[in-house]
Amino acid sequence: MNSPSPRFYSDIFNRVSSADRFLTVDSSVMNLTTSNDGSLARPQSLDADGGFRKYFPAETNTITKLSLKWFGTTIEDYPYPYVIGKLCWEFPAMVPSDWEANNAHGPNNPTTVADWKTALDAAVLKQGVFTFIFHPHGWIRPEQLVEFIDYADGKYGGKVKFLNFRDAQDRLDRNLLASRPLRADNGQDNGVRLVDLNHDGYLDVISANQQFSQTRVWNPKQSKWITTGFPVPLVTQDPQGNRQESGVKFGIVHPNGHISALIRDQAVAKAWSFDGAEWIEDGPLLNGLVVDGKPVLTATGDPVRGKRDRGVRLRDLDHDGRCELIVGNESQNAAFSWSEEEESWKPLSYALPPNTSIVDAQGRDNGLRFVDINDDGYDDLIFSVYRHAKNLAWLGTRLELQSHQRPA
């Protein structure tokens, strides 16, 4: 099973080695082209024989009745690089690899090349990337690779470029991030975030640390960036140059779908919303955030002694397109919904299950995850920590979320 844990990216991939080396690009997620993509025509190969899903055989666990796919790390109809864990570029690899094809219909099958051509057509139409996986193990012949390359060159010419990962990342850093990469020179967080700020379906870029502060909004009609500032650093540095998050939290709170940002610690309590052109101070977004008489903080501490995450998260729990606010730490457990009429957060009738939290007293990850386990469209919870491991799930119906029934 090729299914790296999310903690691989948070705890292993993003580490800086003892020799001060670090990784910046990964390709462990498979992009599955499907007939569900409304932007694509439906070539016969997408529908015949189960489409490209034939490359992901599955078996059912007789106890849990859950389907166990060979590849747990997949994304559908998204041939674009994206960011994992704020530091890692993920280039999803195109289905099929020659290994998947060998398992599905044997080595050197012409169907493999035909499906590569179909997937390339989709990537070109969507102006994406085709991350190509092949091995020197006899699963595909060299002349079949040449056939695919000739197809790309003959049909698309200069519209398709064959790049290695360094070339691809250089283009991302230069054209998307204005030469400010995700990772600083020491491999730590450089304060760069990709967010759709104005709800137009295109990702925008925020770059904010103690050296620079910039917001870049993509204008698809004019094919250019609109540049403005950002009001606060997303990362700070201690005297040794170590970088840490400042505690800014992003989410969609207002009905217009634009992004809001808030931060509250011992030194600053501010909130802003993006109005389509710039960040506007939005002080009411701090109203009502109190648990047992104490304010909800996004971070504590300071750059010298180090900041601690306080387990504040903005997530859309009820699928109304707007975020609720959750806080879960060693002393606070609550959930709030935003009232546009009263310009204040209002406590909800439910919170995280007892004896769970998002972070521990030191601000470290405490093993709680939001995952839609049963594919009903609503978040469930999984909680597992060392010496105290158990599974807790809120079965994801709106009724159960609102009434705070006991976890299943």
Side-chain angles (χ1 to χ4, degrees), residues 138-195:
W139 299 327
I140 200 75
R141 296 195 308 270
E143 52 267 36
Q144 291 177 297
L145 299 178
V146 173
E147 178 187 347
F148 174 68
I149 293 170
D150 286 346
Y151 174 82
D153 180 61
K155 185 170 184 178
Y156 297 109
K159 292 183 179 179
V160 170
K161 293 185 181 297
F162 286 83
L163 306 172
N164 60 37
F165 276 143
R166 184 179 295 278
D167 293 333
Q169 185 183 331
D170 285 345
R171 288 168 179 251
L172 281 174
D173 289 346
R174 181 173 66 253
N175 299 317
L176 177 69
L177 306 183
S179 299
R180 298 182 181 111
L182 298 177
R183 305 188 78 147
D185 291 341
N186 63 359
Q188 297 177 4
D189 190 346
N190 204 27
V192 177
R193 303 290 185 266
L194 270 65
V195 188

Side-chain angles (χ1 to χ4, degrees), residues 88 165 168 205 213 269 304 307 314 334 383 402-403:
C88 168
F165 276 143
V205 181
S213 179
V304 175
K307 290 199 173 187
L314 288 161
F383 178 69
Q402 290 179 343
S403 64

Side-chain angles (χ1 to χ4, degrees), residues 84-373:
I84 297 177
K86 303 183 179 71
L87 303 179
C88 168
W89 277 114
E90 177 64 38
F91 278 73
M94 190 65 76
V95 174
S97 71
D98 60 341
W99 178 85
E100 294 162 343
N102 178 67
N103 284 320
H105 45 227
N108 309 324
N109 195 307
T111 301
T112 302
V113 182
D115 284 347
W116 280 345
K117 294 175 182 179
T118 298
L120 177 66
D121 291 340
V124 172
L125 180 64
K126 294 170 73 70
Q127 296 181 292
V129 298
F130 185 117
T131 304
F132 197 22
I133 296 182
F134 54 92
H135 303 78
H137 297 324
W139 299 327
I140 200 75
R141 296 195 308 270
E143 52 267 36
Q144 291 177 297
L145 299 178
V146 173
E147 178 187 347
F148 174 68
I149 293 170
D150 286 346
Y151 174 82
D153 180 61
K155 185 170 184 178
Y156 297 109
K159 292 183 179 179
V160 170
K161 293 185 181 297
F162 286 83
L163 306 172
N164 60 37
F165 276 143
R166 184 179 295 278
D167 293 333
Q169 185 183 331
D170 285 345
R171 288 168 179 251
L172 281 174
D173 289 346
R174 181 173 66 253
N175 299 317
L176 177 69
L177 306 183
S179 299
R180 298 182 181 111
L182 298 177
R183 305 188 78 147
D185 291 341
N186 63 359
Q188 297 177 4
D189 190 346
N190 204 27
V192 177
R193 303 290 185 266
L194 270 65
V195 188
D196 181 3
L197 295 173
N198 53 4
H199 201 55
D200 67 350
Y202 290 87
L203 287 174
D204 309 300
V205 181
I206 301 171
S207 302
N209 58 37
Q210 291 175 313
Q211 283 72 48
F212 55 83
S213 179
Q214 186 182 78
T215 299
R216 306 181 80 213
V217 179
W218 178 247
N219 185 321
K221 293 182 179 179
Q222 300 179 15
S223 294
K224 69 176 185 179
W225 294 101
I226 309 300
T227 303
T228 185
F230 190 74
V232 65
L234 294 176
V235 296
T236 59
Q237 289 179 257
D238 65 18
Q240 288 73 43
N242 295 311
R243 296 164 179 252
Q244 55 193 323
E245 291 192 61
S246 62
V248 176
K249 303 299 178 184
F250 293 99
I252 298 173
V253 178
H254 297 300
N256 62 12
H258 290 188
I259 291 291
S260 298
L262 62 89
I263 179 173
R264 179 189 271 174
D265 59 22
Q266 296 96 325
V268 59
K270 293 279 189 178
W272 306 265
S273 291
F274 193 72
D275 72 351
E278 59 183 343
W279 292 93
I280 304 298
E281 194 161 340
D282 194 355
L285 283 182
L286 299 172
N287 293 343
L289 294 178
V290 177
V291 177
D292 296 330
K294 296 182 179 180
V296 171
L297 303 179
T298 61
T300 57
D302 56 60
V304 175
R305 291 188 296 270
K307 290 199 173 187
R308 289 182 295 148
D309 183 0
R310 297 303 290 151
V312 171
R313 302 292 185 267
L314 288 161
R315 291 186 70 93
D316 183 3
L317 297 177
D318 56 9
H319 278 209
D320 66 350
R322 297 160 63 188
C323 289
E324 283 67 46
L325 187 145
I326 310 162
V327 56
N329 55 53
E330 81 287 351
S331 62
Q332 293 179 314
N333 180 8
F336 301 84
S337 64
W338 174 253
S339 171
E340 192 75 13
E341 296 76 18
E342 300 183 44
E343 293 191 320
S344 179
W345 294 96
K346 298 296 181 181
L348 291 168
S349 60
Y350 57 85
L352 300 176
N355 302 315
T356 70
S357 64
I358 296 171
V359 297
D360 63 14
Q362 286 73 45
R364 300 172 301 193
D365 181 353
N366 203 36
L368 188 142
R369 298 291 185 270
F370 297 86
V371 184
D372 181 5
I373 299 174

